[in-house]
Amino acid sequence: MKIDWDVKTIEDSLFLIPLLPLLGAAALGLFGRRLRRPDVHLIACGTVATAGLLVALILLPMAFPVLFASGPVVSIGSTLGTWFSAGGISVAASLFVDHLNAVLALVVSGVGLLIHVYSIEYMAEEKDYARYFAYLNLFVGFMLLLVLANDLVLMFVGWEGVGLCSYLLIGFWYDDDAKALAGRKAFVVNRVGDFGFLLGIFTLLALFGTTSIQPLGTGGDSLAGAVRAFGPGRLGAVVSSGPLAALGLTYGHAITLACLFLFLGAAGKSAQFPLYVWLPDAMAGPTPVSALIHAATMVTAGVYLLARLSFLFALSTTAMAMVAAVGAFTALFAALLACAQNDLKKVLAYSTVSQLGFMVLAAGVGAWWQAVFHLVTHAFFKACLFLGAGSVILACHHQQDIRKLGGLRRRMKSTSATFLIATLAITGVAPLSGFFSKDAILHFAHAAAPAGPAGVAHLAWIVGTLAALGTAFYMFRLYFLVFEGEPRSEQAAHATERGLAVTIPLWILGALSVVAVVWGWPWAPFAMTTRSGLREPLFQNFTSPVFGLANRILGVDPAAAHQGLLGAMALALAVAWAGLGAAWWLYRRGGIAKLAPLFERRPVRWIHALVAHKFYVDEVFHFALVLPLRAVATLAFHLVDRRAIDGFLVHGPARVTGWAGRALRYLQNGDLQRYAAVMAIGAVVTVAFVLSVGKDLFQLFGGN
Amino acid sequence: MPSLPSPSLLTLAATFAPGVILEHYLLLAAILFAIGMLGVVTRRNALTMFMSIELMLNAANLTFLAFARVHADLSGHVTAILVMAVAAAEAAVGLAIVIALQRVRGTTNVDEVRTLKL
Amino acid sequence: MSSFLASLTLEHWLFYPLALLTIAGALGVVLARNPLYGALSLISTFFFLAAIFILAGAHFVGILQIIVYAGAIMVLFLMAIMLLALDAKALGRRRVTLFKLVGGLFSVGLVGLALSFLGLRQGARGPIMWIRIPYQKLPEGFGSVAAVGDLLFREHLLQLEAVSLLLLVAIVGAVAVAKGKI
């Protein structure tokens, strides 16, 4: 029996998906102070849940086409109309859903809902809870807009919107200067990336004359359509029309340029080196916010952008190599930094940067579905880790220093169990989800990377494997320090588990980190066997319509992608267990004490200091960027603002008016007849003027 | 239109107009207006100035009526009537001010009142 | 010459004498030292003007000119003059200032401008523009009370009501200004 229901029927209500949370945000923002707490919760969770339900309704026929009479659905879209058009540019307010962003939208609304529920408990003692939930809803709305937009300009709206919400939520406790500053830093660093994104949009606009991603319904211009129509020899041709014609670029160069700009945007949002600096500071916000925005969803927007425009990046070997290199470097760099952090949330923050590095690496070597799959699994286990961290922070009265925690396993059973599951998942211990997502990326980079100079992919593989080792080490270091051993502070000794609103989301996310295995496991039940006899993981099969174009351009050999799969799995397991073992020996068996003398030795001490100080990147930025900018700003303040604007433009007219008044005062003597005489003279002169040239004017305006 | 080299504009005008030509009405209006303006500028008595203003308003009325006649359009007449009403209003308020001026300042000569306030 | 005389109509015969009388009356207003004589002169001017209005076909407006201007408004002026009871001392001596001189010269210059413009003084640029406007034939009853009233109440009702409101405000304002302390 098949379900006789056509997904196209909800095409017209597609816009409701981002609109509902936005409406919720508006309601909470405007009337939140007058609402009772349960009503606020109901509005906040209800709108997100409804949006999630709508997404699920669309996703069902996509995931299980067998059950539906309508057959497989590739994508649905709807256009509300033209948002604006100027000159030859026309931007449509159009949304669309395909296999890629349906999954992401579900993750956003699903994880978003869990975190909303979790926040009810976490923010229970917060007075300004309505504002908090308004921001959170606003975020979910903008994130859904970002994910569902079928136009880069519309996507940019969501992109800026989530950046705004990130800023608002990081600085949620704005009366704390440090937190407000962290929010500002996140905003300013993100501006750099956003600027790149904008330049990328402009370049694409100049090149293709459209910013629409997929052709919808009647067709029209779109980037995917333009790339599909691209002949093989076209990349070498010189751009001869449009605004870029004057530059004498070839199409290949122009696309590389656009991709690099877009990647700059992605790097800003997804915290890639060197624009990652804002993410660790963003931990100043409430912990559920860190889980939702700075781990699960917003920071993955950059990866989504890369996956969304995969067909475009596939055209540019240089851009792909750049993406892969930056991703690999970020993964290793952040993993190293995470090893030397002592703040619970900071470790997780660097871990997020590192995992985002993996995703970007994947996008750079052409492992599109692996990148998105890792994005999804990462959303589950990292959200779980952050919520677990939030639970610990709540239980230990905001004690976040892992050196002062410990022994929480016995006191917080749910938290520690789910934290362990998530840790195992992120580490890549089989058979949890991280094993099939992260290690699938590394395997693909090693075995089948067709993009770019082969050296980059292989280098990415080596660096990525090292980063995976680091991941295993720092995650278990964190786990052992926080949950095992004896409590090292008063707060840790008296920690107690919170209520169901905390533990239920934890267990759901923990379970999802396990269950997600099914989608990435080549031998899982329901996994497809391709015509050439290869086992295709569910997720790969599911997203294949989205990445078909990019894979065709890259020329990925599916058979090569399967070579050495077992060997890669063995290596991944070995790396995971090695990291686990090292952490166990150091932090569980007292290895750190035995190594203490080694840390006294000079080069080791230096290296440790270097890592512990995060390679002084913040300091470099401070001296190289912040101080010069501040100097320029001071100069501008004294010279431009004080002198030019205040002195000349503001006081200048006042002074001139004063002088003029003093000078003209003598004309204004109150003698009525003098005024009358002046008026008469003026009138006569005017009449004389009109009469002398009036005829010419008369003829000028068409008189005879 | 033929070129107009005629020695006598008056006779020429007669071929266009069945009566006095428009220019002469306008010229009369201009002269009246100029006289009124002369009065406003040179006479220092507020009452005389007001009467001069009335002269100027009448000059304007004359042009309206002259054009109304040329175009055979009564709108000019309506405007003239409205101008009369406005002149009446202006005279009423203006004379009240002159009387107030006389009471407060003891003079109706405008050049003796130059502080821009009563 | 006889053809010229033959071309003259009654309007010509009446217009030019009346125009001269009007100008004389107007000059009387401006030149009379005592406002009382000026006002009387103005009344005569208004009468002559009313005659000219009627010559130009504006019968109703001409009558109004006599009733409203020469009647109501001028009576108002005479009442004011009477109230003020101006004597030679109050009027003061004539004063000549630079501004009066220049303003007066310009006022007289206006007549010159009008002359040059109306083509009576044929210069190189003498634009004989208006004369090209052909006289429309006047319809029956042009300028009569019925015709003007019809237009006034049919098409210009709003303006009429606005002006009536203005008159009301002026009445109240006049009372307030003349009576109240300022």
Side-chain angles (χ1 to χ4, degrees):
Chain A
M1 201 192 85
K2 297 203 171 194
I3 302 168
D4 188 18
W5 174 67
D6 191 355
V7 68
K8 300 234 177 232
T9 49
I10 61 169
E11 214 167 49
D12 292 333
S13 47
L14 210 53
F15 69 95
L16 276 181
I17 297 173
L19 193 64
L20 275 172
L22 291 178
L23 284 178
L28 292 177
L30 293 175
F31 312 111
R33 281 171 180 280
R34 301 202 198 128
L35 293 175
R36 289 178 308 128
R37 205 175 267 263
D39 296 340
V40 170
H41 299 154
L42 190 70
I43 292 174
C45 299
T47 50
V48 175
T50 317
L53 210 65
L54 275 172
V55 176
L57 278 180
I58 300 170
L59 194 60
L60 270 180
M62 286 183 174
F64 308 105
V66 214
L67 297 178
F68 287 84
S70 53
V73 175
V74 178
S75 72
I76 66 169
S78 80
T79 304
L80 278 180
T82 304
W83 176 22
F84 63 80
S85 65
I89 306 162
S90 170
V91 174
S94 64
L95 303 180
F96 89 119
V97 187
D98 65 357
H99 291 70
L100 169 61
N101 57 13
V103 171
L104 283 180
L106 194 64
V107 168
V108 169
S109 48
V111 176
L113 178 62
L114 290 176
I115 286 166
H116 269 73
V117 171
Y118 179 93
S119 297
I120 294 175
E121 177 77 21
Y122 193 88
M123 302 302 272
E125 279 146 37
E126 175 65 43
K127 259 193 280 178
D128 222 357
Y129 58 94
R131 182 165 65 92
Y132 172 82
F133 278 107
Y135 289 166
L136 218 53
N137 257 28
L138 191 67
F139 169 77
V140 173
F142 274 128
M143 191 68 204
L144 287 170
L145 182 67
L146 190 167
V147 167
L148 297 179
N150 188 34
D151 195 293
L152 285 179
V153 179
L154 195 61
M155 191 198 249
F156 188 72
V157 174
W159 189 274
E160 289 295 313
V162 292
L164 169 72
C165 295
S166 164
Y167 160 76
L168 290 172
L169 283 165
I170 294 169
F172 180 71
W173 290 301
Y174 51 80
D175 42 7
D176 182 337
D177 275 352
K179 287 172 177 167
L181 271 179
R184 204 169 74 191
K185 183 172 174 184
F187 201 77
V188 170
V189 175
N190 261 304
R191 293 307 312 163
V192 179
D194 296 347
F195 190 61
F197 190 12
L198 266 184
L199 287 178
I201 293 175
F202 295 156
T203 315
L204 287 179
L205 200 58
L207 200 57
F208 297 113
T210 178
T211 51
S212 173
I213 298 167
Q214 296 281 347
L216 284 185
T218 52
D221 286 343
S222 70
L223 295 173
V227 169
R228 203 168 273 134
F230 236 52
R234 194 73 189 285
L235 285 180
V238 175
V239 181
S240 54
S241 63
L244 291 183
L247 297 177
L249 295 168
T250 65
Y251 274 98
H253 289 143
I255 288 175
T256 301
L257 191 69
C259 287
L260 287 178
F261 280 141
L262 290 172
F263 177 58
L264 182 61
K269 207 47 113 196
S270 285
Q272 295 300 295
F273 188 87
L275 297 179
Y276 70 92
V277 288
W278 64 273
L279 188 56
D281 285 13
M283 295 302 129
T287 306
V289 169
S290 310
L292 178 61
I293 301 185
H294 304 120
T297 54
M298 184 191 85
V299 286
T300 59
V303 180
Y304 170 69
L305 180 68
L306 297 181
R308 180 83 279 164
L309 298 177
S310 56
F311 51 84
L312 212 60
F313 280 85
L315 286 173
S316 168
T317 317
T318 318
M320 292 279 278
M322 182 79 186
V323 171
V326 170
F329 181 75
T330 308
L332 182 61
F333 184 77
L336 261 180
L337 295 185
C339 294
Q341 291 294 311
N342 287 322
D343 185 293
L344 176 54
K345 286 178 74 180
K346 285 270 166 76
V347 176
L348 291 177
Y350 280 108
S351 164
T352 306
V353 175
S354 173
Q355 298 304 311
L356 289 167
F358 275 109
M359 298 172 209
V360 170
L361 185 169
V365 297
W368 312 111
W369 75 265
Q370 290 95 330
V372 177
F373 186 47
H374 192 51
L375 191 165
V376 174
T377 57
H378 176 258
F380 294 150
F381 54 65
K382 187 51 68 62
C384 183
L385 287 171
F386 263 113
L387 294 190
S391 173
V392 169
I393 290 167
L394 268 187
C396 299
H397 304 284
H398 293 270
Q399 176 58 263
Q400 298 190 14
D401 191 334
I402 54 176
R403 286 167 302 186
K404 297 198 175 137
L405 296 168
L408 291 176
R409 184 165 60 91
R410 284 177 300 279
R411 308 199 61 85
M412 306 175 72
K413 295 228 163 50
S414 288
T415 305
S416 65
T418 50
F419 203 92
L420 181 62
I421 292 171
T423 306
L424 286 169
I426 190 178
T427 313
V429 174
L432 296 164
S433 57
F435 176 73
F436 289 104
S437 57
K438 182 174 66 182
D439 296 308
I441 293 172
L442 294 177
H443 169 241
F444 188 88
H446 175 55
V456 174
H458 281 108
L459 201 66
W461 171 65
I462 295 169
V463 174
T465 307
L466 285 176
L469 182 67
T471 307
F473 176 74
Y474 69 71
M475 280 316 298
F476 274 100
R477 168 176 177 263
L478 184 66
Y479 176 76
F480 287 134
L481 281 177
V482 173
F483 291 99
E484 301 289 339
E486 294 304 317
R488 290 180 292 276
S489 69
E490 271 299 298
Q491 295 106 317
H494 296 97
T496 47
E497 190 78 279
R498 287 298 176 110
L500 286 180
V502 168
T503 51
I504 286 177
L506 280 176
W507 278 111
I508 292 176
L509 287 168
L512 282 171
S513 337
V514 179
V515 170
V517 166
V518 181
W519 301 327
W521 188 15
W523 292 281
F526 310 118
M528 300 285 171
T529 306
T530 61
R531 254 171 285 162
S532 43
L534 300 168
R535 295 288 287 175
E536 222 177 34
L538 267 179
F539 200 80
Q540 180 182 8
N541 187 268
F542 183 69
T543 54
S544 56
V546 180
F547 299 122
L549 180 56
N551 282 334
R552 207 159 62 240
I553 294 168
L554 283 181
V556 178
D557 178 12
H562 272 262
Q563 274 169 11
L565 190 54
L566 288 176
M569 285 182 169
L571 178 69
L573 270 184
V575 164
W577 284 104
L580 196 164
W584 178 75
W585 183 72
L586 276 173
Y587 296 101
R588 202 70 191 96
R589 306 291 292 169
I592 194 86
K594 286 183 196 145
L595 284 187
L598 187 65
F599 276 89
E600 294 301 309
R601 303 269 288 277
R602 206 167 277 159
V604 180
R605 205 176 71 212
W606 285 349
I607 291 171
H608 184 259
L610 196 62
V611 177
H613 286 96
K614 301 172 272 183
F615 288 99
Y616 296 98
V617 171
D618 274 325
E619 283 74 8
V620 168
F621 274 14
H622 186 73
F623 283 109
L625 293 176
V626 178
L627 284 188
L629 271 180
R630 205 172 280 171
V632 170
T634 313
L635 195 72
F637 172 69
H638 284 295
L639 218 64
V640 178
D641 202 64
R642 278 283 168 83
R643 287 274 169 77
I645 293 180
D646 278 0
F648 186 72
L649 289 179
V650 177
H651 293 156
R655 250 176 240 142
V656 169
T657 313
W659 292 333
R662 275 192 289 280
L664 296 175
R665 192 173 58 183
Y666 301 103
L667 284 181
Q668 196 76 272
N669 66 347
D671 186 349
L672 190 63
Q673 276 187 307
R674 189 181 283 189
Y675 302 161
V678 171
M679 259 175 79
I681 293 167
V684 173
V685 169
T686 307
V687 169
F689 175 77
V690 170
L691 290 187
S692 59
V693 300
K695 194 180 166 216
D696 304 334
L697 284 178
F698 187 67
Q699 281 163 350
L700 196 68
F701 289 111
N704 46 7
Chain B
M1 273 302 131
S3 57
L4 304 161
S6 163
S8 167
L9 275 168
L10 214 60
T11 48
L12 181 93
T15 62
F16 283 92
V20 176
I21 56 168
L22 177 63
E23 281 79 352
H24 292 183
Y25 279 108
L26 297 184
L27 186 62
L28 176 61
I31 292 169
L32 282 181
F33 191 89
I35 293 171
M37 203 152 91
L38 189 73
V40 172
V41 173
T42 55
R43 297 303 305 269
R44 51 202 281 259
N45 188 287
L47 284 168
T48 312
M49 286 176 76
F50 267 117
M51 290 191 278
S52 304
I53 290 172
E54 300 295 336
L55 264 182
M56 291 162 81
L57 286 170
N58 267 283
N61 269 355
L62 184 57
T63 59
F64 277 122
L65 296 173
F67 277 110
R69 179 188 161 186
V70 171
H71 294 292
D73 183 347
L74 280 175
S75 297
H77 292 212
V78 171
T79 313
I81 291 169
L82 297 182
V83 168
M84 274 185 204
V86 172
E90 173 247 328
V93 178
L95 290 173
I97 291 175
V98 170
I99 288 172
L101 194 68
Q102 168 76 20
R103 210 171 53 222
V104 177
R105 288 294 171 86
T107 180
T108 54
N109 293 339
V110 289
D111 54 358
E112 289 166 32
V113 188
R114 42 200 299 174
T115 53
L116 289 182
K117 57 187 182 194
L118 277 171
Chain C
M1 193 64 195
S2 61
S3 66
F4 171 68
L5 283 177
S7 73
L8 294 182
T9 60
L10 182 63
E11 189 183 345
H12 287 108
W13 289 113
L14 287 177
F15 176 79
Y16 295 102
L18 280 172
L20 286 177
L21 285 171
T22 310
I23 292 169
L27 282 174
V29 174
V30 174
L31 297 178
R33 186 161 159 65
N34 194 326
L36 182 64
Y37 301 143
L40 291 175
S41 180
L42 189 58
I43 291 172
S44 69
T45 309
F46 286 158
F47 269 107
F48 298 136
L49 257 180
I52 289 177
F53 287 178
I54 290 167
L55 267 187
H59 311 292
F60 180 41
V61 179
I63 299 299
L64 276 185
Q65 173 84 0
I66 292 170
I67 296 173
V68 176
Y69 255 124
I73 297 181
M74 287 323 294
V75 166
L76 207 61
F77 269 95
L78 289 174
M79 294 284 278
I81 294 166
M82 182 191 80
L83 275 175
L84 294 173
L86 298 169
D87 52 10
K89 190 167 145 279
L91 290 172
R93 290 178 44 234
R94 280 187 198 278
R95 288 185 201 165
V96 181
T97 66
L98 183 65
F99 274 90
K100 280 185 187 178
L101 217 58
V102 177
L105 281 175
F106 267 85
S107 304
V108 176
L110 193 60
V111 181
L113 271 178
L115 281 172
S116 77
F117 176 68
L118 294 175
L120 295 176
R121 213 185 60 187
Q122 273 181 313
R125 293 176 64 87
I128 310 179
M129 194 157 58
W130 301 113
I131 208 165
R132 294 187 185 169
I133 300 172
Y135 273 44
Q136 301 290 325
K137 194 175 181 307
L138 296 182
E140 192 64 31
F142 180 82
S144 66
V145 181
V148 177
D150 187 68
L151 194 64
L152 201 56
F153 285 97
R154 220 187 273 286
E155 287 186 28
H156 300 279
L157 191 62
L158 181 69
Q159 290 92 318
L160 186 75
E161 292 300 331
V163 159
S164 66
L165 199 68
L166 177 76
L167 279 173
L168 180 67
V169 172
I171 292 165
V172 176
V175 172
V177 170
K179 266 194 78 173
K181 282 181 74 108
I182 304 169

